[in-house]
Amino acid sequence: MRILQINNYNFIKGGADRVYFNTIKLLEDNNHVVADFSTLNPLNVDSLYTKYFIPLDDYRHKGIIGKIAGVKNYLYNSTSYRNLKKLIEDFRPDIAHIHLFYGGLTSSILKVLKEYNIPIVQSVHDYRILCPANAFLDNKSRICEKCKNKFFVQCSFDRCLESNFFFSSILTLEAYTRKYLLDPLEFIDHYIFVSRFSQAKHIEYDNRFSGKSSHLYNFTFISDTYSIRNNKSYFLFFGRLSKEKGLMTLLEAMKSLDVNLKIAGTGPLQAEVEKYALSNKNVEYLYNKSGQELEELIADASFIIVPSEWYENNPMTILEAYAIGKPVIGADIGGIPEILVNNKTGFLFKSRSVDDLKMAIRNAASLSDSEYLNYSRFARKFAEENFAPQGHYTKLMEVYANILNR
């Protein structure tokens, strides 16, 4: 099968991008021919199709004239339309599988794909279709669902993006463009939701999703051989350093805990993390880690901590931890409770609760070696049963086949 994989970024910026690359590798390992379509960036992974990629300007860092001029491309990128058209004519895909595209490649890709009668699948990694600001958070990082009845102008009123009226209004305009001009539900043939929570939330907002969607967890590559390391020297947080990830709640909890925490990653809260680590001996900031270095860091940790404060979908941090038998302490929000079996693969705690998080960490630190071994084995078993590549591939092929056979 000839498959077109589409994503805003051709480098790993977040979990969705990791899924995009994992999917490409999985398909190629199973003898499919894959072409990728994305935006140009110095951080990009090498691609045979770079000549079709589009330049991406960040209008937020331009002057007022540049901002106004950039709005059109943010809503509907004509270069994306033209370049994807050339790629389609050259590659002749059987199906297109989209990941992230709003605010980059834009909805113009939907139009050209439909013009060529190419079936479209989208893996839904966020809540952009429902919430203009994407994450169901207001400008104070509180859970917000004020746009439930498609009253998207609330995003402007509340300045949901960076507390900036202009930026928030662009998101509002984009949401109304989807509502009235380019409704994705009229173009996309099937949605793959990577958590049951996300699927239920989308159906709650728009029942049309119920007839054209399925649930399929992300996957991760699981090594045939691994060793359980019960290194009680530290807990680990890795990923984006931002408020919605619950990092400030975690740091507050650490003030009264006699355990060690290592933090790996970059993001808006990097300065706060650096400052905290300098004045608190039980917290060490390691900056960004990836590849084998990150895998070793995870393997040597006691528990991975995922203290999210937004409707987390299907976090790759948990999948990657489980794959090497590492249990997790996670917040009871979004899709996390679906994949964290309390007192089996780790510990759940009430999201945003410092006291509940401290209790979970203390419970984890007090496990005996034999108890920890059981947690680790359960985590690995859960990964093998729910996140293995071959099982994911089989279900993905069923989705593709169902659409192609209509």
Side-chain angles (χ1 to χ4, degrees):
M1 192 182 303
R2 300 179 69 80
I3 304 166
L4 185 57
Q5 288 283 325
I6 299 175
N7 191 51
N8 270 342
Y9 307 106
N10 207 53
F11 63 95
I12 295 179
K13 184 177 182 181
D17 312 306
R18 191 174 292 113
V19 174
Y20 161 71
F21 282 111
N22 283 353
T23 304
I24 290 174
K25 184 177 187 306
L26 181 67
L27 293 171
E28 290 179 338
D29 286 348
N30 284 275
N31 301 313
H32 296 283
V33 181
V34 181
D36 47 5
F37 182 65
S38 188
T39 60
L40 293 169
N41 191 290
L43 299 175
N44 274 0
V45 172
D46 290 340
S47 168
L48 296 174
Y49 302 93
T50 299
K51 69 178 182 179
Y52 302 99
F53 290 10
I54 70 163
L56 183 62
D57 292 328
D58 189 347
Y59 71 90
R60 292 180 297 180
H61 298 128
K62 293 185 176 182
I64 186 63
I65 295 176
K67 283 182 170 66
I68 294 172
V71 169
K72 178 181 178 296
N73 277 340
Y74 185 84
L75 299 176
Y76 186 93
N77 195 305
S78 298
T79 303
S80 182
Y81 175 93
R82 291 192 299 270
N83 287 18
L84 181 55
K85 182 176 182 179
K86 293 175 185 175
L87 176 56
I88 290 170
E89 291 176 349
D90 292 344
F91 182 67
R92 300 293 176 180
D94 298 306
I95 194 168
H97 187 159
I98 303 174
H99 297 267
L100 304 178
F101 67 98
Y102 292 119
L105 298 170
T106 76
S107 295
S108 66
I109 65 171
L110 302 180
K111 187 176 179 182
V112 68
L113 288 168
K114 275 304 178 188
E115 287 176 359
Y116 281 84
N117 295 313
I118 297 169
I120 306 171
V121 175
Q122 185 188 4
S123 288
V124 182
H125 301 286
D126 55 28
Y127 301 96
R128 190 66 168 267
I129 305 173
L130 310 181
C131 167
N134 178 42
F136 283 124
L137 294 172
D138 64 15
N139 62 14
K140 293 182 174 60
S141 295
R142 298 171 301 198
I143 295 293
C144 170
E145 295 195 32
K146 292 181 181 178
C147 292
K148 186 169 185 177
N149 294 318
K150 298 188 178 181
F151 188 61
F152 299 125
V153 72
Q154 194 68 49
C155 179
S156 298
F157 293 159
D158 288 355
R159 302 174 183 241
C160 290
L161 180 61
E162 299 179 11
S163 299
N164 184 291
F165 180 79
F166 178 80
F167 295 162
S168 301
S169 295
I170 299 305
L171 296 183
T172 299
L173 183 59
E174 181 193 45
Y176 280 117
T177 299
R178 287 196 298 271
K179 180 179 179 180
Y180 292 114
L181 299 177
L182 276 169
D183 183 353
L185 280 147
E186 298 296 325
F187 288 84
I188 295 172
D189 298 290
H190 190 86
Y191 289 90
I192 297 174
F193 290 100
V194 300
S195 74
R196 297 189 189 280
F197 177 90
S198 177
Q199 184 179 26
K201 183 62 69 176
H202 279 77
I203 292 172
E204 176 188 336
Y205 273 59
D206 193 328
N207 193 55
R208 290 180 296 168
F209 284 107
S210 63
K212 57 190 320 179
S213 68
S214 59
H215 161 258
L216 179 59
Y217 287 133
N218 294 325
F219 73 95
T220 189
F221 295 101
I222 301 174
S223 173
D224 291 334
T225 59
Y226 79 108
S227 60
I228 297 173
R229 307 180 198 176
N230 186 12
N231 188 336
K232 292 187 176 182
S233 64
Y234 66 89
F235 291 79
L236 175 66
F237 173 99
F238 69 96
R240 178 172 167 79
L241 308 184
S242 54
K243 193 171 182 180
E244 77 276 5
K245 293 296 184 180
L247 193 55
M248 298 311 293
T249 299
L250 175 57
L251 293 180
E252 183 65 27
M254 289 300 298
K255 289 180 179 179
S256 57
L257 289 172
D258 188 24
V259 298
N260 295 317
L261 172 70
K262 293 188 179 184
I263 298 174
T266 58
L269 294 182
Q270 181 170 324
E272 285 88 341
V273 173
E274 289 175 336
K275 182 179 179 180
Y276 188 95
L278 286 173
S279 57
N280 293 271
K281 293 182 179 181
N282 64 337
V283 175
E284 181 182 2
Y285 179 43
L286 305 173
Y287 296 89
N288 193 45
K289 299 293 179 183
S290 60
Q292 186 64 33
E293 192 175 14
L294 176 59
E295 189 171 319
E296 288 294 320
L297 191 63
I298 298 170
D300 284 335
S302 174
F303 274 73
I304 307 306
I305 302 180
V306 184
S308 295
E309 297 179 355
W310 74 294
Y311 291 154
E312 193 78 62
N313 209 341
N314 185 227
M316 291 299 294
T317 49
I318 295 180
L319 276 64
E320 291 165 357
Y322 282 4
I324 53 176
K326 198 57 54 178
V328 172
I329 295 171
D332 63 346
I333 193 168
I336 294 175
E338 298 174 35
I339 59 174
L340 202 167
V341 185
N342 198 32
N343 298 315
K344 286 280 189 179
T345 65
F347 296 96
L348 283 170
F349 72 94
K350 185 175 179 58
S351 180
R352 299 175 184 258
S353 172
V354 173
D355 289 340
D356 217 32
L357 175 54
K358 286 194 291 189
M359 183 181 297
I361 294 174
R362 288 189 180 113
N363 288 339
S366 68
L367 292 176
S368 67
D369 288 346
S370 61
E371 287 172 330
Y372 182 86
L373 183 63
N374 285 332
Y375 275 77
S376 185
R377 286 173 173 166
F378 275 121
R380 169 72 180 200
K381 186 173 185 288
F382 195 95
E384 291 172 344
E385 293 176 350
N386 294 279
F387 310 136
Q390 198 54 43
H392 184 97
Y393 173 75
T394 299
K395 293 176 182 177
L396 182 60
M397 287 300 103
E398 290 173 0
V399 170
Y400 287 178
N402 287 338
I403 297 170
L404 290 168
N405 292 332
R406 287 178 183 173

